[in-house]
PDB file of all heavy atoms in Angstrom:
ATOM      1  N   ARG F 280      10.600  17.004  27.641  1.00  0.00           N
ATOM      2  CA  ARG F 280      10.199  16.779  26.245  1.00  0.00           C
ATOM      3  C   ARG F 280       9.301  15.540  26.142  1.00  0.00           C
ATOM      4  O   ARG F 280       8.278  15.551  25.464  1.00  0.00           O
ATOM      5  CB  ARG F 280      11.446  16.615  25.372  1.00  0.00           C
ATOM      6  CG  ARG F 280      11.184  16.623  23.893  1.00  0.00           C
ATOM      7  CD  ARG F 280      12.486  16.541  23.070  1.00  0.00           C
ATOM      8  NE  ARG F 280      13.508  17.496  23.516  1.00  0.00           N
ATOM      9  CZ  ARG F 280      14.699  17.142  24.038  1.00  0.00           C
ATOM     10  NH1 ARG F 280      15.022  15.880  24.167  1.00  0.00           N
ATOM     11  NH2 ARG F 280      15.554  18.070  24.403  1.00  0.00           N
ATOM     12  N   GLN F 281       9.680  14.484  26.841  1.00  0.00           N
ATOM     13  CA  GLN F 281       8.869  13.263  26.834  1.00  0.00           C
ATOM     14  C   GLN F 281       7.486  13.520  27.419  1.00  0.00           C
ATOM     15  O   GLN F 281       6.480  13.032  26.899  1.00  0.00           O
ATOM     16  CB  GLN F 281       9.578  12.152  27.602  1.00  0.00           C
ATOM     17  CG  GLN F 281      10.812  11.620  26.913  1.00  0.00           C
ATOM     18  CD  GLN F 281      11.612  10.679  27.802  1.00  0.00           C
ATOM     19  OE1 GLN F 281      11.386  10.591  28.996  1.00  0.00           O
ATOM     20  NE2 GLN F 281      12.568   9.985  27.195  1.00  0.00           N
ATOM     21  N   HIS F 282       7.444  14.282  28.507  1.00  0.00           N
ATOM     22  CA  HIS F 282       6.150  14.609  29.122  1.00  0.00           C
ATOM     23  C   HIS F 282       5.285  15.440  28.173  1.00  0.00           C
ATOM     24  O   HIS F 282       4.079  15.224  28.077  1.00  0.00           O
ATOM     25  CB  HIS F 282       6.348  15.347  30.446  1.00  0.00           C
ATOM     26  CG  HIS F 282       6.729  14.453  31.579  1.00  0.00           C
ATOM     27  ND1 HIS F 282       5.831  13.668  32.261  1.00  0.00           N
ATOM     28  CD2 HIS F 282       7.934  14.200  32.143  1.00  0.00           C
ATOM     29  CE1 HIS F 282       6.453  12.991  33.196  1.00  0.00           C
ATOM     30  NE2 HIS F 282       7.736  13.294  33.144  1.00  0.00           N
ATOM     31  N   ARG F 283       5.901  16.391  27.472  1.00  0.00           N
ATOM     32  CA  ARG F 283       5.138  17.207  26.519  1.00  0.00           C
ATOM     33  C   ARG F 283       4.588  16.348  25.380  1.00  0.00           C
ATOM     34  O   ARG F 283       3.448  16.515  24.953  1.00  0.00           O
ATOM     35  CB  ARG F 283       6.016  18.316  25.956  1.00  0.00           C
ATOM     36  CG  ARG F 283       6.219  19.467  26.911  1.00  0.00           C
ATOM     37  CD  ARG F 283       6.947  20.642  26.251  1.00  0.00           C
ATOM     38  NE  ARG F 283       7.395  21.566  27.263  1.00  0.00           N
ATOM     39  CZ  ARG F 283       8.619  21.596  27.771  1.00  0.00           C
ATOM     40  NH1 ARG F 283       9.543  20.763  27.349  1.00  0.00           N
ATOM     41  NH2 ARG F 283       8.934  22.464  28.702  1.00  0.00           N
ATOM     42  N   GLU F 284       5.426  15.431  24.886  1.00  0.00           N
ATOM     43  CA  GLU F 284       4.966  14.550  23.811  1.00  0.00           C
ATOM     44  C   GLU F 284       3.818  13.671  24.290  1.00  0.00           C
ATOM     45  O   GLU F 284       2.833  13.470  23.567  1.00  0.00           O
ATOM     46  CB  GLU F 284       6.127  13.688  23.309  1.00  0.00           C
ATOM     47  CG  GLU F 284       7.160  14.465  22.522  1.00  0.00           C
ATOM     48  CD  GLU F 284       8.407  13.641  22.205  1.00  0.00           C
ATOM     49  OE1 GLU F 284       8.466  12.453  22.599  1.00  0.00           O
ATOM     50  OE2 GLU F 284       9.313  14.186  21.557  1.00  0.00           O
ATOM     51  N   GLU F 285       3.919  13.162  25.502  1.00  0.00           N
ATOM     52  CA  GLU F 285       2.838  12.340  26.061  1.00  0.00           C
ATOM     53  C   GLU F 285       1.570  13.176  26.227  1.00  0.00           C
ATOM     54  O   GLU F 285       0.465  12.728  25.920  1.00  0.00           O
ATOM     55  CB  GLU F 285       3.277  11.756  27.411  1.00  0.00           C
ATOM     56  CG  GLU F 285       2.224  10.926  28.099  1.00  0.00           C
ATOM     57  CD  GLU F 285       1.969   9.593  27.413  1.00  0.00           C
ATOM     58  OE1 GLU F 285       2.808   9.138  26.622  1.00  0.00           O
ATOM     59  OE2 GLU F 285       0.890   9.023  27.657  1.00  0.00           O
ATOM     60  N   ALA F 286       1.734  14.410  26.697  1.00  0.00           N
ATOM     61  CA  ALA F 286       0.583  15.301  26.876  1.00  0.00           C
ATOM     62  C   ALA F 286      -0.072  15.592  25.532  1.00  0.00           C
ATOM     63  O   ALA F 286      -1.305  15.564  25.409  1.00  0.00           O
ATOM     64  CB  ALA F 286       1.010  16.596  27.559  1.00  0.00           C
ATOM     65  N   ASP F 287       0.742  15.867  24.512  1.00  0.00           N
ATOM     66  CA  ASP F 287       0.190  16.132  23.173  1.00  0.00           C
ATOM     67  C   ASP F 287      -0.551  14.912  22.642  1.00  0.00           C
ATOM     68  O   ASP F 287      -1.631  15.032  22.073  1.00  0.00           O
ATOM     69  CB  ASP F 287       1.302  16.526  22.198  1.00  0.00           C
ATOM     70  CG  ASP F 287       1.816  17.931  22.429  1.00  0.00           C
ATOM     71  OD1 ASP F 287       1.115  18.710  23.119  1.00  0.00           O
ATOM     72  OD2 ASP F 287       2.914  18.246  21.928  1.00  0.00           O
ATOM     73  N   SER F 288       0.046  13.749  22.825  1.00  0.00           N
ATOM     74  CA  SER F 288      -0.584  12.518  22.354  1.00  0.00           C
ATOM     75  C   SER F 288      -1.929  12.301  23.041  1.00  0.00           C
ATOM     76  O   SER F 288      -2.934  11.982  22.402  1.00  0.00           O
ATOM     77  CB  SER F 288       0.348  11.332  22.626  1.00  0.00           C
ATOM     78  OG  SER F 288      -0.278  10.125  22.309  1.00  0.00           O
ATOM     79  N   ARG F 289      -1.945  12.486  24.344  1.00  0.00           N
ATOM     80  CA  ARG F 289      -3.198  12.295  25.088  1.00  0.00           C
ATOM     81  C   ARG F 289      -4.236  13.351  24.719  1.00  0.00           C
ATOM     82  O   ARG F 289      -5.422  13.060  24.626  1.00  0.00           O
ATOM     83  CB  ARG F 289      -2.931  12.315  26.590  1.00  0.00           C
ATOM     84  CG  ARG F 289      -2.211  11.072  27.068  1.00  0.00           C
ATOM     85  CD  ARG F 289      -1.934  11.127  28.568  1.00  0.00           C
ATOM     86  NE  ARG F 289      -1.214   9.960  28.991  1.00  0.00           N
ATOM     87  CZ  ARG F 289      -1.781   8.899  29.548  1.00  0.00           C
ATOM     88  NH1 ARG F 289      -3.080   8.861  29.717  1.00  0.00           N
ATOM     89  NH2 ARG F 289      -1.045   7.879  29.927  1.00  0.00           N
ATOM     90  N   ARG F 290      -3.773  14.594  24.484  1.00  0.00           N
ATOM     91  CA  ARG F 290      -4.704  15.660  24.100  1.00  0.00           C
ATOM     92  C   ARG F 290      -5.342  15.343  22.746  1.00  0.00           C
ATOM     93  O   ARG F 290      -6.557  15.468  22.575  1.00  0.00           O
ATOM     94  CB  ARG F 290      -3.967  16.999  24.039  1.00  0.00           C
ATOM     95  CG  ARG F 290      -4.860  18.180  23.653  1.00  0.00           C
ATOM     96  CD  ARG F 290      -4.049  19.471  23.488  1.00  0.00           C
ATOM     97  NE  ARG F 290      -2.901  19.338  22.618  1.00  0.00           N
ATOM     98  CZ  ARG F 290      -2.944  19.350  21.285  1.00  0.00           C
ATOM     99  NH1 ARG F 290      -4.092  19.478  20.670  1.00  0.00           N
ATOM    100  NH2 ARG F 290      -1.837  19.222  20.577  1.00  0.00           N
ATOM    101  N   LEU F 291      -4.523  14.903  21.791  1.00  0.00           N
ATOM    102  CA  LEU F 291      -5.062  14.555  20.477  1.00  0.00           C
ATOM    103  C   LEU F 291      -6.028  13.386  20.571  1.00  0.00           C
ATOM    104  O   LEU F 291      -7.084  13.382  19.926  1.00  0.00           O
ATOM    105  CB  LEU F 291      -3.915  14.215  19.516  1.00  0.00           C
ATOM    106  CG  LEU F 291      -3.052  15.390  19.078  1.00  0.00           C
ATOM    107  CD1 LEU F 291      -1.864  14.895  18.262  1.00  0.00           C
ATOM    108  CD2 LEU F 291      -3.863  16.390  18.287  1.00  0.00           C
ATOM    109  N   ASP F 292      -5.686  12.398  21.386  1.00  0.00           N
ATOM    110  CA  ASP F 292      -6.574  11.244  21.568  1.00  0.00           C
ATOM    111  C   ASP F 292      -7.898  11.688  22.180  1.00  0.00           C
ATOM    112  O   ASP F 292      -8.976  11.269  21.740  1.00  0.00           O
ATOM    113  CB  ASP F 292      -5.891  10.204  22.463  1.00  0.00           C
ATOM    114  CG  ASP F 292      -6.669   8.917  22.547  1.00  0.00           C
ATOM    115  OD1 ASP F 292      -7.127   8.421  21.491  1.00  0.00           O
ATOM    116  OD2 ASP F 292      -6.816   8.381  23.670  1.00  0.00           O
ATOM    117  N   ALA F 293      -7.819  12.566  23.168  1.00  0.00           N
ATOM    118  CA  ALA F 293      -9.036  13.067  23.807  1.00  0.00           C
ATOM    119  C   ALA F 293      -9.883  13.869  22.817  1.00  0.00           C
ATOM    120  O   ALA F 293     -11.116  13.748  22.805  1.00  0.00           O
ATOM    121  CB  ALA F 293      -8.682  13.926  25.023  1.00  0.00           C
ATOM    122  N   GLU F 294      -9.237  14.677  21.988  1.00  0.00           N
ATOM    123  CA  GLU F 294      -9.985  15.458  20.993  1.00  0.00           C
ATOM    124  C   GLU F 294     -10.672  14.550  19.984  1.00  0.00           C
ATOM    125  O   GLU F 294     -11.812  14.802  19.587  1.00  0.00           O
ATOM    126  CB  GLU F 294      -9.045  16.429  20.276  1.00  0.00           C
ATOM    127  CG  GLU F 294      -8.625  17.606  21.133  1.00  0.00           C
ATOM    128  CD  GLU F 294      -7.623  18.512  20.434  1.00  0.00           C
ATOM    129  OE1 GLU F 294      -7.284  18.256  19.262  1.00  0.00           O
ATOM    130  OE2 GLU F 294      -7.179  19.481  21.076  1.00  0.00           O
ATOM    131  N   MET F 295      -9.974  13.488  19.577  1.00  0.00           N
ATOM    132  CA  MET F 295     -10.582  12.546  18.631  1.00  0.00           C
ATOM    133  C   MET F 295     -11.778  11.841  19.272  1.00  0.00           C
ATOM    134  O   MET F 295     -12.832  11.680  18.644  1.00  0.00           O
ATOM    135  CB  MET F 295      -9.544  11.523  18.164  1.00  0.00           C
ATOM    136  CG  MET F 295      -8.526  12.098  17.209  1.00  0.00           C
ATOM    137  SD  MET F 295      -7.151  11.006  16.754  1.00  0.00           S
ATOM    138  CE  MET F 295      -7.903   9.419  16.612  1.00  0.00           C
ATOM    139  N   LYS F 296     -11.636  11.441  20.527  1.00  0.00           N
ATOM    140  CA  LYS F 296     -12.744  10.772  21.217  1.00  0.00           C
ATOM    141  C   LYS F 296     -13.924  11.722  21.394  1.00  0.00           C
ATOM    142  O   LYS F 296     -15.072  11.320  21.240  1.00  0.00           O
ATOM    143  CB  LYS F 296     -12.281  10.236  22.566  1.00  0.00           C
ATOM    144  CG  LYS F 296     -11.404   9.017  22.442  1.00  0.00           C
ATOM    145  CD  LYS F 296     -10.952   8.504  23.794  1.00  0.00           C
ATOM    146  CE  LYS F 296     -10.068   7.284  23.622  1.00  0.00           C
ATOM    147  NZ  LYS F 296      -9.555   6.786  24.896  1.00  0.00           N
ATOM    148  N   LYS F 297     -13.632  12.983  21.711  1.00  0.00           N
ATOM    149  CA  LYS F 297     -14.709  13.961  21.876  1.00  0.00           C
ATOM    150  C   LYS F 297     -15.422  14.198  20.550  1.00  0.00           C
ATOM    151  O   LYS F 297     -16.655  14.266  20.504  1.00  0.00           O
ATOM    152  CB  LYS F 297     -14.162  15.269  22.422  1.00  0.00           C
ATOM    153  CG  LYS F 297     -15.264  16.295  22.683  1.00  0.00           C
ATOM    154  CD  LYS F 297     -14.746  17.498  23.382  1.00  0.00           C
ATOM    155  CE  LYS F 297     -15.792  18.533  23.699  1.00  0.00           C
ATOM    156  NZ  LYS F 297     -17.058  18.476  23.054  1.00  0.00           N
ATOM    157  N   ALA F 298     -14.657  14.321  19.469  1.00  0.00           N
ATOM    158  CA  ALA F 298     -15.263  14.531  18.152  1.00  0.00           C
ATOM    159  C   ALA F 298     -16.146  13.341  17.789  1.00  0.00           C
ATOM    160  O   ALA F 298     -17.257  13.515  17.273  1.00  0.00           O
ATOM    161  CB  ALA F 298     -14.181  14.738  17.095  1.00  0.00           C
ATOM    162  N   SER F 299     -15.667  12.144  18.085  1.00  0.00           N
ATOM    163  CA  SER F 299     -16.453  10.947  17.802  1.00  0.00           C
ATOM    164  C   SER F 299     -17.737  10.933  18.631  1.00  0.00           C
ATOM    165  O   SER F 299     -18.816  10.621  18.121  1.00  0.00           O
ATOM    166  CB  SER F 299     -15.613   9.703  18.101  1.00  0.00           C
ATOM    167  OG  SER F 299     -16.360   8.541  17.897  1.00  0.00           O
ATOM    168  N   ALA F 300     -17.610  11.282  19.900  1.00  0.00           N
ATOM    169  CA  ALA F 300     -18.788  11.333  20.763  1.00  0.00           C
ATOM    170  C   ALA F 300     -19.764  12.402  20.284  1.00  0.00           C
ATOM    171  O   ALA F 300     -20.987  12.189  20.297  1.00  0.00           O
ATOM    172  CB  ALA F 300     -18.366  11.606  22.210  1.00  0.00           C
ATOM    173  N   ASP F 301     -19.250  13.549  19.868  1.00  0.00           N
ATOM    174  CA  ASP F 301     -20.112  14.611  19.352  1.00  0.00           C
ATOM    175  C   ASP F 301     -20.853  14.141  18.094  1.00  0.00           C
ATOM    176  O   ASP F 301     -22.038  14.430  17.927  1.00  0.00           O
ATOM    177  CB  ASP F 301     -19.305  15.864  19.033  1.00  0.00           C
ATOM    178  CG  ASP F 301     -18.800  16.578  20.283  1.00  0.00           C
ATOM    179  OD1 ASP F 301     -19.297  16.262  21.392  1.00  0.00           O
ATOM    180  OD2 ASP F 301     -17.906  17.433  20.144  1.00  0.00           O
ATOM    181  N   GLU F 302     -20.132  13.421  17.229  1.00  0.00           N
ATOM    182  CA  GLU F 302     -20.782  12.905  16.018  1.00  0.00           C
ATOM    183  C   GLU F 302     -21.884  11.908  16.372  1.00  0.00           C
ATOM    184  O   GLU F 302     -22.977  11.950  15.792  1.00  0.00           O
ATOM    185  CB  GLU F 302     -19.749  12.228  15.118  1.00  0.00           C
ATOM    186  CG  GLU F 302     -18.815  13.184  14.426  1.00  0.00           C
ATOM    187  CD  GLU F 302     -17.717  12.458  13.658  1.00  0.00           C
ATOM    188  OE1 GLU F 302     -17.792  11.218  13.515  1.00  0.00           O
ATOM    189  OE2 GLU F 302     -16.785  13.134  13.200  1.00  0.00           O
ATOM    190  N   ARG F 303     -21.595  11.021  17.336  1.00  0.00           N
ATOM    191  CA  ARG F 303     -22.623  10.044  17.747  1.00  0.00           C
ATOM    192  C   ARG F 303     -23.826  10.745  18.374  1.00  0.00           C
ATOM    193  O   ARG F 303     -24.971  10.369  18.122  1.00  0.00           O
ATOM    194  CB  ARG F 303     -22.027   9.030  18.723  1.00  0.00           C
ATOM    195  CG  ARG F 303     -21.112   8.018  18.060  1.00  0.00           C
ATOM    196  CD  ARG F 303     -20.815   6.824  18.948  1.00  0.00           C
ATOM    197  NE  ARG F 303     -20.372   7.153  20.291  1.00  0.00           N
ATOM    198  CZ  ARG F 303     -19.125   7.394  20.651  1.00  0.00           C
ATOM    199  NH1 ARG F 303     -18.165   7.354  19.759  1.00  0.00           N
ATOM    200  NH2 ARG F 303     -18.823   7.669  21.905  1.00  0.00           N
ATOM    201  N   ALA F 304     -23.564  11.768  19.170  1.00  0.00           N
ATOM    202  CA  ALA F 304     -24.658  12.513  19.794  1.00  0.00           C
ATOM    203  C   ALA F 304     -25.498  13.220  18.734  1.00  0.00           C
ATOM    204  O   ALA F 304     -26.732  13.219  18.807  1.00  0.00           O
ATOM    205  CB  ALA F 304     -24.106  13.517  20.805  1.00  0.00           C
ATOM    206  N   ALA F 305     -24.839  13.817  17.747  1.00  0.00           N
ATOM    207  CA  ALA F 305     -25.575  14.494  16.672  1.00  0.00           C
ATOM    208  C   ALA F 305     -26.405  13.481  15.882  1.00  0.00           C
ATOM    209  O   ALA F 305     -27.558  13.756  15.533  1.00  0.00           O
ATOM    210  CB  ALA F 305     -24.600  15.226  15.740  1.00  0.00           C
ATOM    211  N   ARG F 306     -25.809  12.321  15.618  1.00  0.00           N
ATOM    212  CA  ARG F 306     -26.544  11.271  14.896  1.00  0.00           C
ATOM    213  C   ARG F 306     -27.761  10.818  15.715  1.00  0.00           C
ATOM    214  O   ARG F 306     -28.859  10.647  15.177  1.00  0.00           O
ATOM    215  CB  ARG F 306     -25.617  10.081  14.625  1.00  0.00           C
ATOM    216  CG  ARG F 306     -26.214   9.057  13.701  1.00  0.00           C
ATOM    217  CD  ARG F 306     -25.263   7.905  13.369  1.00  0.00           C
ATOM    218  NE  ARG F 306     -23.888   8.315  13.189  1.00  0.00           N
ATOM    219  CZ  ARG F 306     -22.856   7.893  13.940  1.00  0.00           C
ATOM    220  NH1 ARG F 306     -23.072   7.039  14.927  1.00  0.00           N
ATOM    221  NH2 ARG F 306     -21.635   8.316  13.715  1.00  0.00           N
TER     222      ARG F 306
END
């Protein structure tokens, strides 16, 4: 359960960073 929570947290963080990078690239 702890590993899944860590994986989810890291996945969400990665998605946020990717979205931010995509926005900067579009800009």
Side-chain angles (χ1 to χ4, degrees):
R280 190 176 312 116
Q281 290 171 347
H282 282 282
R283 283 188 194 97
E284 289 172 0
E285 178 71 18
D287 286 343
S288 174
R289 288 179 182 262
R290 180 185 51 80
L291 289 174
D292 187 45
E294 287 176 2
M295 287 173 38
K296 286 180 180 177
K297 183 172 181 344
S299 177
D301 289 346
E302 288 174 10
R303 286 195 310 274
R306 189 177 321 119

